[in-house]
């Protein structure tokens, strides 16, 4: 990915000033929200080792690099952070991650839990919710700048 292009995490920053330093291990996420954004971006870019590295080891269960790389993979579109919360060494981020799979628009709507250990944030687990689709006249989630009804609806 071109480091000067917009970061896929929808932060309105360039990739080089947003998620790339985290992906390269130059910086650590300062908050659960920043970690969530960098994890979405890793899914978007196929950086599966980063996803394993930022997933708390006690919550990996049967998740492996091999299971993440096994295809097929959806075409990730955009991330919508709905809310975030941080208190001490715990945090929560509620988000919708929009994707296309077999020409069908869908989203992962989740309330994710994070913990901080030894100064580093980790994803633990999340509670899935039903996606909340945009209203017909809202901007489309695919980033086209068109109305939802004229685009992906």
């Amino acid at each position: 990915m071109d480091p000067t292009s917009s970061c896929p995490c929808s932060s309105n920053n360039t990739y080089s000033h947003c998620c790339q330093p985290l992906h390269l291990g130059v910086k650590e996420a300062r908050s659960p929200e920043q970690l969530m954004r960098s994890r979405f971006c890793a899914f978007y870019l196929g950086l599966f080792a980063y996803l394993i590295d930022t997933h708390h080891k006690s919550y990996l269960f049967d998740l492996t690099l091999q299971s993440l790389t096994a295809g097929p993979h959806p075409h990730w579109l955009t991330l919508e952070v709905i809310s975030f919360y941080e208190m001490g060494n715990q945090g929560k981020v509620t988000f919708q991650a929009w994707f296309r799979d077999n020409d069908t628009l869908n989203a992962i709507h989740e309330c994710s839990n994070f913990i901080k250990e030894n100064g580093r944030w980790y994803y633990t687990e999340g509670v899935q919710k039903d996606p909340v689709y945009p209203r017909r006249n809202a901007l489309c989630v695919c980033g086209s700048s068109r109305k939802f009804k004229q685009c992906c609806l």
Side-chain angles (χ1 to χ4, degrees):
M1 169 169 218
D2 178 4
T4 62
S5 61
S6 294
C7 194
C9 79
S10 305
S11 66
N12 296 322
N13 292 312
T14 62
Y15 179 58
S16 64
H17 287 102
C18 192
C19 293
Q20 186 181 37
L22 282 75
H23 292 161
L24 295 175
V26 176
K27 292 184 178 179
E28 296 286 340
R30 296 180 314 269
S31 68
E33 180 195 6
Q34 188 179 32
L35 182 59
M36 176 61 238
R37 288 184 180 280
S38 71
R39 287 176 56 83
F40 170 81
C41 189
F43 273 110
Y44 186 97
L45 297 173
L47 303 175
F48 301 116
Y50 180 80
L51 296 168
I52 296 292
D53 187 48
T54 57
H55 200 121
H56 194 278
K57 303 301 180 219
S58 298
Y59 294 86
L60 277 173
F61 305 111
D62 61 352
L63 185 67
T64 64
L65 187 55
Q66 186 176 25
S67 67
L68 283 174
T69 56
H73 299 288
H75 173 70
W76 294 101
L77 298 171
T78 189
L79 175 68
E80 175 189 2
V81 174
I82 298 166
S83 65
F84 53 91
Y85 166 83
E86 177 184 340
M87 179 166 274
N89 293 330
Q90 296 184 3
K92 290 185 183 291
V93 179
T94 302
F95 69 92
Q96 288 196 130
W98 293 96
F99 64 93
R100 280 201 173 283
D101 194 18
N102 297 325
D103 291 328
T104 302
L105 180 70
N106 207 340
I108 295 175
H109 185 182
E110 181 176 301
C111 181
S112 298
N113 295 307
F114 297 84
I115 58 172
K116 190 176 189 180
E117 280 187 357
N118 300 318
R120 188 170 179 211
W121 285 103
Y122 294 93
Y123 171 80
T124 58
E125 60 188 347
V127 176
Q128 298 287 317
K129 300 178 174 194
D130 291 332
V132 177
Y133 287 87
R135 294 180 184 251
R136 294 173 44 84
N137 289 321
L139 287 178
C140 190
V141 296
C142 76
S144 68
S145 299
R146 295 170 53 201
K147 289 183 180 181
F148 185 57
K149 69 181 178 186
Q150 297 169 333
C151 195
C152 290
L153 180 67

